[in-house]
Amino acid sequence: MFNGICGVLYRELLIYRNRALKQMLTSSLSPLLFLIAFGWGFGRDVTVGGISYISFLIPGLITMNSLTQSFAISGEINISRFYFHTFDEYLIAPVSHAGIVIGEAAFGVFRGILATFIIFIYAFVFDASLSFNPFFLVAIVLHTFIFSALAVTTSMVVKDHSGQALINNFAITPMIFLCGTFYPIDKLPYAFKLLVSVFPLTYSTKVIRATLTGAEVNIVYVALMMFYCIIFFLTSLWALRKVEA
Amino acid sequence: MNDNSDVLKAAGLRKNYRKDKAAVDGVSFAFSRGEFVGLLGPNGAGKTTTIKMLTGLIKPSSGVIHYYGRDFHNESQMTKGLIGVVPQQNNLDRDLTAYENLCLHAILYGIPKDARRERIYEYLEFSGLTDYANRQVKTFSGGTMRRLVILRALLHEPKILFLDEPTVGLDPHIRRIIWDFIIKINRTKNTTILLTTHYIEEAERLCKRVMIINDGRIIVDGDPETLKDGIGHFVLEVYKDDKIEEEFFNTRDEALLALKDSTYPCKVRAVTLEDVFLGLAGRRINV
Ligand SMILES: Nc1ncnc2c1ncn2[C@@H]1O[C@H](COP(=O)(O)OP(=O)(O)OP(=O)(O)O)[C@@H](O)[C@H]1O
Ligand SMILES: [Mg+2]
């Protein structure tokens, strides 16, 4: 298993090395626009649940940006599966499927966490008042692992690149807009509340926001995050086995 | 590991991509140590599908595969280390250098860290690619890429090497360089080789044993000389107005005798594997 993890990480990091700057720049633009539009646009005195809207929004942008970056590994796996067939190198090698999945997911976690730094810089620039609970570090690892493992799963299930685009459109984008990243979900109609309660992003947003705004971390939500980690790890293994069918 | 048992033994391999049609329809064979086998067949015959099943990229719909007597499915991690694969399409990481591509392979196959560098340079040397070590793969020519893919497949010193159309799309000069390289692997390392091709000349030059596959079934299995003996030793080509007709003879004299009688332009030549292939094609191969 270890050879698989090391091999996958070695490759992904080598390739990332050349693209890191470009990808960081790309991932830093849209949160900035959200901050300008919602943060400044709404005015500085808007408050949500007793904290300023900027302070509410920043943790949301952290979850959003890390999710986007972690999930983006699915696109790269697609390219390596369908265009350059480099993924076959993993499949014919004497390594376990778990090694491949953990390697890819670890890379997704790494990318997701890198994408949070820029938001912390924005937080400083936009003068958001954040408090920092070290449990944030655990939460962000769980959060990025969920979406990295989900990315591995979907990239194994789809039959081509457009299938991946479909999933991005119908699963990831709605999640980002509905799961409390930009506003509290208790304002949503009941049906939507029900819908978002099955989305993992709802729970990671709550936990991550709690660790950054000084609120209490609800342990049930953390347990749910772990639950999603396990589920998507298992679906990744299942999907990878199906690739060889 | 019992060295006397067959390197590879496949029995009743079948693959159905669709329910009603088998791409590979129950093939069986066994290879012994050092054997050089060609799998010959027209486009879509099932060569790549066979290789993919033998290397673990797809699961057979039915049938069993053993390497050195070990079940490939049940002991896949152990047995995969015995196999080297050169896929039909080059699957190198184009943004990485040759060295980095090889290093990735070395990690995946568990070559210890302190031995990696030396092993990689040893094999770069063996294949004459030392100068390319630190250049990005995307700057390589087709022939160089192909050699690098073959070299990569050798890095973990496999017992059996699968080559899926190793010289397709290469010019005649480079093709000969690759042939020499493959022969060198077979001779110096005693690596068992299964090579697929639809260049008959390639199979004839390289392989001690040829299997012809058509429509998912192996229809001929034997050494090229015996196969050629089966249809005669000499061919008389008769250039008629609208087609070339071929007649087969056991001796040159018989052929020449027939040539004298003919009123058309004619040519006598030795039988090639291509004649065997086309002879079967006339009767059985539906290209
Ligand atoms: N993934 C797939 N799904 C469905 N059918 C497939 C798939 N791959 C191959 N086939 C079909 O299976 C048959 C055998 O294909 P295969 O690629 O094994 O042939 P081949 O002998 O390697 O041909 P070529 O010389 O063109 O490489 C063909 O009819 C092909 O269309
Ligand atoms: Mg093929």
Side-chain angles (χ1 to χ4, degrees):
Chain A
M1 185 164 93
F2 210 63
N3 292 339
I5 301 174
C6 294
V8 173
L9 273 178
Y10 172 81
R11 169 182 185 267
E12 299 295 359
L13 291 176
L14 272 184
I15 290 183
Y16 189 70
R17 188 189 52 185
N18 299 325
R19 302 190 190 147
L21 205 64
K22 247 184 275 173
Q23 280 175 356
M24 301 247 242
L25 273 178
T26 313
S27 74
S28 60
L29 181 63
S30 70
L32 182 63
L33 294 176
F34 279 117
L35 273 169
I36 293 170
F38 297 144
W40 284 344
F42 282 163
R44 311 233 58 180
D45 359 299
V46 180
T47 60
V48 177
I51 54 173
S52 76
Y53 182 63
I54 287 265
S55 309
F56 177 89
L57 184 59
I58 287 279
L61 291 177
I62 283 176
T63 50
M64 179 193 84
N65 226 31
S66 51
L67 180 159
T68 316
Q69 285 297 308
S70 294
F71 195 79
I73 64 168
S74 61
E76 316 230 336
I77 297 176
N78 269 300
I79 293 170
S80 92
R81 268 190 73 200
F82 300 125
Y83 296 101
F84 296 122
H85 302 278
T86 42
F87 201 79
D88 290 354
E89 255 290 275
Y90 302 152
L91 295 178
I92 58 175
V95 298
S96 64
H97 286 176
I100 300 174
V101 170
I102 294 173
E104 292 288 3
F107 173 63
V109 167
F110 169 77
R111 258 182 81 168
I113 290 174
L114 278 189
T116 64
F117 291 134
I118 187 72
I119 315 290
F120 283 112
I121 295 172
Y122 291 159
F124 182 75
V125 172
F126 282 75
D127 197 23
S129 62
L130 296 182
S131 66
F132 187 82
N133 177 344
F135 192 76
F136 168 78
L137 298 174
V138 178
I140 195 77
V141 170
L142 289 175
H143 165 66
T144 48
F145 187 90
I146 291 172
F147 291 97
S148 304
L150 181 64
V152 176
T153 307
T154 58
S155 63
M156 293 301 136
V157 171
V158 297
K159 298 268 182 269
D160 53 35
H161 211 76
S162 59
Q164 189 70 53
L166 198 74
I167 292 180
N168 293 4
N169 256 319
F170 283 91
I172 300 300
T173 310
M175 234 194 276
I176 288 176
F177 279 92
L178 296 176
C179 293
T181 0
F182 305 122
Y183 50 83
I185 48 168
D186 29 277
K187 300 233 166 92
L188 285 175
Y190 182 70
F192 277 90
K193 255 194 227 164
L194 218 57
L195 178 69
V196 302
S197 71
V198 303
F199 287 158
L201 182 60
T202 309
Y203 306 106
S204 27
T205 305
K206 283 190 167 156
V207 172
I208 287 173
R209 182 168 286 132
T211 61
L212 292 176
T213 55
E216 195 153 330
V217 175
N218 187 330
I219 202 73
V220 175
Y221 297 156
V222 178
L224 277 168
M225 287 172 80
M226 290 178 177
F227 170 76
Y228 278 110
C229 283
I230 294 168
I231 290 292
F232 291 143
F233 178 64
L234 294 178
T235 55
S236 297
L237 288 179
W238 164 83
L240 191 50
R241 199 160 356 199
K242 232 176 58 115
V243 165
E244 294 177 3
Chain B
M1 197 184 308
N2 179 4
D3 257 14
N4 294 326
S5 60
D6 293 319
V7 176
L8 163 65
K9 195 173 163 135
L13 279 191
R14 203 166 49 76
K15 179 69 194 178
N16 286 70
Y17 289 113
R18 291 174 295 139
K19 282 220 164 48
D20 51 331
K21 177 92 180 68
V24 171
D25 198 0
V27 301
S28 305
F29 42 78
F31 303 156
S32 46
R33 186 85 208 274
E35 224 176 340
F36 199 139
V37 188
L39 183 62
L40 203 59
N43 286 124
K47 302 182 294 295
T48 299
T49 305
T50 304
I51 297 238
K52 281 185 172 174
M53 288 193 282
L54 294 174
T55 56
L57 272 179
I58 52 176
K59 279 208 182 67
S61 306
S62 65
V64 283
I65 300 166
H66 285 92
Y67 287 97
Y68 285 103
R70 290 163 185 270
D71 188 281
F72 185 44
H73 185 70
N74 295 335
E75 293 180 75
S76 72
Q77 274 198 54
M78 194 270 143
T79 44
K80 276 178 174 178
L82 304 171
I83 304 174
V85 188
V86 175
Q88 188 164 355
Q89 283 169 304
N90 290 341
N91 63 342
L92 296 160
D93 263 308
R94 301 166 59 84
D95 290 335
L96 303 187
T97 63
Y99 184 87
E100 288 164 342
N101 269 285
L102 296 171
C103 195
L104 166 63
H105 188 88
I107 297 171
L108 291 172
Y109 284 77
I111 297 171
K113 197 169 176 159
D114 44 356
R116 264 175 228 158
R117 205 183 157 75
E118 201 181 324
R119 177 83 65 89
I120 290 172
Y121 275 100
E122 178 193 332
Y123 275 85
L124 282 167
E125 181 82 43
F126 178 77
S127 43
L129 292 176
T130 313
D131 293 344
Y132 292 88
N134 296 311
R135 284 174 47 182
Q136 274 194 327
V137 168
K138 63 179 160 208
T139 66
F140 291 6
S141 70
T144 309
M145 273 196 210
R146 208 62 186 148
R147 269 192 291 171
L148 181 59
V149 177
I150 299 174
L151 145 65
R152 183 182 62 179
L154 292 175
L155 201 60
H156 58 285
E157 311 197 309
K159 302 281 180 225
I160 179 165
L161 182 63
F162 295 96
L163 298 148
D164 197 354
E165 302 195 12
T167 64
V168 79
L170 302 179
D171 71 45
H173 176 66
I174 299 289
R175 176 172 301 158
R176 271 163 186 77
I177 292 177
I178 302 251
W179 284 349
D180 290 343
F181 184 36
I182 298 171
I183 291 171
K184 182 169 153 194
I185 295 162
N186 181 245
R187 297 247 171 94
T188 62
K189 301 186 187 297
N190 202 19
T191 310
T192 307
I193 294 182
L194 176 67
L195 168 147
T196 81
T197 183
H198 37 223
Y199 298 125
I200 290 149
E201 187 196 354
E202 183 163 291
E204 190 158 22
R205 287 248 189 148
L206 300 176
C207 306
K208 305 280 182 331
R209 172 177 166 193
V210 172
M211 303 190 293
I212 297 180
I213 185 171
N214 181 48
D215 208 9
R217 294 211 177 92
I218 292 180
I219 52 178
V220 172
D221 185 345
D223 77 279
E225 291 311 315
T226 317
L227 295 179
K228 284 191 276 182
D229 288 349
I231 60 168
H233 295 98
F234 291 93
V235 190
L236 175 70
E237 289 182 346
V238 185
Y239 293 83
K240 297 202 166 157
D241 298 334
D242 54 342
K243 62 174 190 285
I244 304 171
E245 269 181 10
E246 282 157 346
E247 289 177 53
F248 295 90
F249 299 93
N250 275 325
T251 65
R252 175 186 237 79
D253 289 340
E254 286 174 62
L256 288 172
L257 215 62
L259 182 144
K260 277 199 197 109
D261 296 341
S262 177
T263 54
Y264 293 98
C266 294
K267 190 174 135 192
V268 175
R269 59 167 176 82
V271 160
T272 66
L273 199 55
E274 184 153 353
D275 298 313
V276 178
F277 188 80
L278 293 175
L280 290 163
R283 283 176 284 136
R284 284 191 268 173
I285 294 184
N286 352 298
V287 184

